[in-house]
C-alpha cells in the first residue's frame, strides 16, 4: 500500500548474472567511456530506480521535451535532463545501435549503454530553459557550460555492477530497499526531508512539526553525491545526522543517504527531488525557502524567488501524488526557550538566529556555539572538521627573482614556526624541489608551470591535513600562481609573499654567479634577464630585502599570519 513509483513501475536496470557475464565477455569489442563523478551519481540512480521511469540516459527527443516543457516525450512529468556527455572523439566513434561500456574511474564496467542517439546539444539553450539563465555564476550553469563535454549520447542502460561505496553502506538504501523497510515497519505516509547541510535544532524542530502536521513518518534523506561547492563534506554531515537521530521520538524517523548529484536548479530541482522521493516510497516532501537554490549572482540578485520552488511543486503535486510541505523558517525565542515559525512570532517577542556565515565564523574563530542553536553532539562533530583558524593548515608562498632572498626568509620563517610548535612544517624551497620532485624539468614556461603545479599540489595536501607548507620558488607566471591559490584556499590559509627585491640588487649580489652567466649567455631563459617575471598584483605582502634582515622579514610574515588568525593561542 505504498505510493506507486513515478510512471507506475519501479525500474531496476541491473541485468541477470548470465547477461552480465555475456556483456563482460563482449565488452572488449566496444568503445569505453570513463565516467566522471556526476555521471557516476546519475548512473547509480538510474540503475537503482531512483529515476524511474527513466531506463537510461535521455535521447534527443526526451532532452528537447524536458528542456522546453518539463515532460518526457510521452508526457510524463520530468524536470531535469539526465544526460551522458562525452568528448568528440568518443562521439564520432558511435552511432545508433552501438554499445558503449560505461566504466568507473578504476576501469570496472558498471553498465552498457545501448546507443540510440548521438548529438551536439546547444548547452546555452539548455541552461536557459532548465535553469532560467545562462549566467555561469549559477553553479548548475557553470557545470553545464564549463565542465560537460560537447556531445550527448542517449540510450537504454543495462546495469552490470553498482558503483562501490565504502562508507555508510548500511544506510545507503535504494528505492526498493527503503520501500521494503517502510512495508516492514508499516509506514504508509512518509514525509521526506532533503538536505545538503548539517541539521541544527531549527531543522529538527521543523521536520518534527512537518511529520506531526501531516501525521506521517519522517525520512531524513540527505544528498551525499555532489552538492554545492564549499558545502560541509558528507562524512561530517552523516556523523551530525546520526547524532541528531536520538532527538526524535523513537521509531518515527529513518535516515538514508542519497547519492544524488545536485544541479542547484531551484524550482525544477524541487520537482525532481519530489519524483526521486516518490520512487523511494515517500508521500510528502518538505520544501523550504529557496529550495536547492544557487544563491545570488554577483550583482546580488537571487537566481530564483524564495518561494518559486514551493509554487512549482504545488502546481504539480496532484499529478505527482507527492504533497509539498512548506517548510517554515524557524527562529528561537530565548525568553520562552522555544522555536517558533517566523510568521507566527507574536509582536514584541525577542527572537534570535545564527546564519550559516555566522556559524562558519564562530567555528573559524573557535567561539562558542550556543546549545539553543545546535545540539552539543552536532557542534562537536563540526568542530572536529572545522577547527579554528589557528589550528588549520596554511601555505606561505614566496615568489620573486633568483637571489631576491626567498630561501633565506623561508628558512628563517621555518625555524620560527618550528620554535612555536603545534603544526608540522614543510619547506618546499625552489632548489630542494628541483632536486627531488622536479629533477627532470628545465626552465621553459611549460616546465616552470609544471614545477609550480607540483609544488601547489604538495602544499595543498599539507594544508588539507592541517600542516604548514612554505614554498619558495621563483614562480614567475601569474596564472599558475593563481591556480595554486585556488587549490589551497579551500583547505586552509594561503599567503602569497612577493619578495620584491629589485633586479639590480639581485644582480649586484649574484650569490650563485648565475646572473653573470645569464648576461654572458651561458645560462639561457634566465628569469629577469632573458625570461619574464610577472609581478603579482594579488600578493598578501610585498617584502623588499634591500634594507631589512631576514629575521625582520620573517617576523613580518608571522605578524600577518597572526592578523589573519592562523597563528594564535588555544
Ligand atoms: S621556477 O621558475 O619557479 O620553476 O624556478 P625554480 O624552481 O624556483 O628554480 C629556480 C632556481 O633554479 C636556478 N636556475 C634558474 N632560475 C631561473 N632561470 C633559469 N634559467 C635558471 N637556471 C637555473 C636558480 O638557482 C634558481 O634558484 P634561486 O633560489 O631562485 O636563485
Amino acid at each position: 500500500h505504498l505510493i506507486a513509483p513515478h510512471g507506475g513501475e519501479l525500474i531496476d536496470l541491473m541485468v541477470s548474472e548470465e547477461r552480465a557475464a555475456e556483456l563482460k565477455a563482449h565488452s572488449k569489442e566496444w568503445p569505453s567511456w570513463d565516467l566522471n563523478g556526476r555521471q557516476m551519481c546519475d548512473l547509480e540512480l538510474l540503475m537503482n530506480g531512483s529515476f524511474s521511469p527513466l531506463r537510461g540516459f535521455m535521447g534527443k527527443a526526451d532532452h528537447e521535451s524536458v528542456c522546453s516543457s518539463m515532460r518526457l516525450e510521452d508526457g510524463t512529468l520530468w524536470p531535469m535532463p539526465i544526460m551522458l556527455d562525452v568528448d568528440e572523439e568518443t562521439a564520432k566513434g558511435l552511432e545508433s545501435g552501438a554499445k558503449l561500456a560505461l566504466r568507473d574511474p578504476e576501469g570496472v564496467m558498471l553498465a552498457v549503454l545501448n546507443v540510440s542517439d548521438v548529438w551536439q546539444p546547444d548547452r546555452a539553450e539548455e541552461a536557459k530553459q532548465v535553469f532560467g539563465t545562462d549566467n555561469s555564476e549559477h553553479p548548475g550553469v557553470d557545470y553545464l557550460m564549463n565542465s560537460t563535454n560537447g556531445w550527448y549520447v542517449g540510450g537504454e542502460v543495462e546495469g552490470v555492477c553498482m558503483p562501490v561505496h565504502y562508507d555508510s553502506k548500511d544506510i545507503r538504501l535504494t528505492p526498493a530497499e527503503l520501500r521494503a523497510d517502510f512495508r516492514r515497519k508499516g509506514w504508509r505516509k512518509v514525509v521526506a526531508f532533503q538536505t545538503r547541510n548539517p541539521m541544527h535544532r531549527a531543522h529538527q524542530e521543523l521536520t518534527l512539526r512537518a511529520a506531526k502536521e501531516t501525521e506521517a513518518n519522517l525520512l531524513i534523506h540527505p544528498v551525499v553525491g555532489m552538492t554545492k561547492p564549499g558545502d560541509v563534506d558528507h562524512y561530517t554531515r552523516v556523523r551530525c545526522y546520526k547524532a541528531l537521530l536520538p532527538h526524535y521520538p523513537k521509531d518515527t524517523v529513518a535516515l538514508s543517504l542519497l547519492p544524488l548529484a545536485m544541479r542547484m536548479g531551484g524550482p525544477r530541482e524541487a520537482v525532481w527531488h519530489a519524483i526521486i522521493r516518490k520512487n523511494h516510497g515517500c508521500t510528502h516532501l518538505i520544501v523550504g525557502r529557496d529550495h536547492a537554490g544557487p544563491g545570488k549572482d554577483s550583482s546580488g540578485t537571487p537566481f530564483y524567488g524564495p518561494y518559486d520552488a514551493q509554487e512549482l511543486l504545488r502546481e504539480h503535486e496532484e499529478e505527482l501524488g507527492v504533497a509539498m510541505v512548506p517548510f517554515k523558517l524557524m527562529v528561537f525565542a530565548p525568553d520562552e526557550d522555544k522555536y517558533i515559525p517566523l510568521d507566527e512570532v507574536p509582536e514584541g517577542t525577542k527572537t534570535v538566529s545564527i546564519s550559516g556565515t555566522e556559524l562558519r565564523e564562530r567555528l573559524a574563530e573557535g567561539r562558542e556555539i550556543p546549545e539553543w542553536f545546535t545540539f552539543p553532539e552536532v557542534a562537536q562533530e563540526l568542530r572536529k572538521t572545522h577547527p579554528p583558524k589557528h589550528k588549520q593548515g596554511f601555505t606561505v608562498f614566496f615568489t620573486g627573482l633568483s637571489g631576491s632572498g626567498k630561501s633565506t626568509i623561508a628558512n628563517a620563517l621555518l625555524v620560527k614556526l618550528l620554535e612555536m610548535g603545534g603544526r608540522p612544517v614543510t619547506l618546499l624551497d625552489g632548489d630542494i624541489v628541483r632536486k627531488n620532485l622536479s629533477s627532470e624539468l628545465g626552465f621553459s614556461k611549460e616546465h616552470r608551470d609544471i614545477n609550480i603545479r607540483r609544488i601547489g599540489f604538495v602544499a595543498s595536501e599539507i594544508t588539507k591535513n592541517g600542516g604548514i607548507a612554505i614554498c619558495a620558488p621563483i614562480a614567475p607566471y601569474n596564472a599558475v600562481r593563481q591556480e595554486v591559490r585556488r587549490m589551497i584556499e579551500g583547505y586552509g590559509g594561503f599567503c602569497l609573499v612577493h619578495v620584491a627585491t629589485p633586479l639590480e640588487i639581485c644582480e649586484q649580489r649574484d650569490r650563485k654567479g648565475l646572473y653573470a652567466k645569464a648576461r654572458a649567455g651561458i645560462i639561457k631563459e634566465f628569469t629577469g634577464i632573458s625570461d619574464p617575471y610577472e609581478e603579482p598584483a594579488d600578493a598578501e605582502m610585498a617584502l623588499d630585502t634591500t634594507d631589512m634582515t631576514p629575521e625582520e622579514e620573517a617576523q613580518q610574515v608571522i605578524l600577518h599570519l597572526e592578523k589573519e588568525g592562523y597563528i594564535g593561542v588555544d
Side-chain angles (χ1 to χ4, degrees), residues 401-403 406-407 430-431 434 443 448 451-452 472-476 512 514 523-527:
L401 297 169
S402 172
K406 304 181 298 287
S407 305
D431 287 334
R434 283 203 171 258
F443 289 91
R448 288 181 197 258
N451 181 40
I452 300 308
I474 297 178
K512 301 181 189 166
L514 294 172
I523 301 179
K524 307 256 176 305
E525 299 177 308
F526 195 81
T527 308

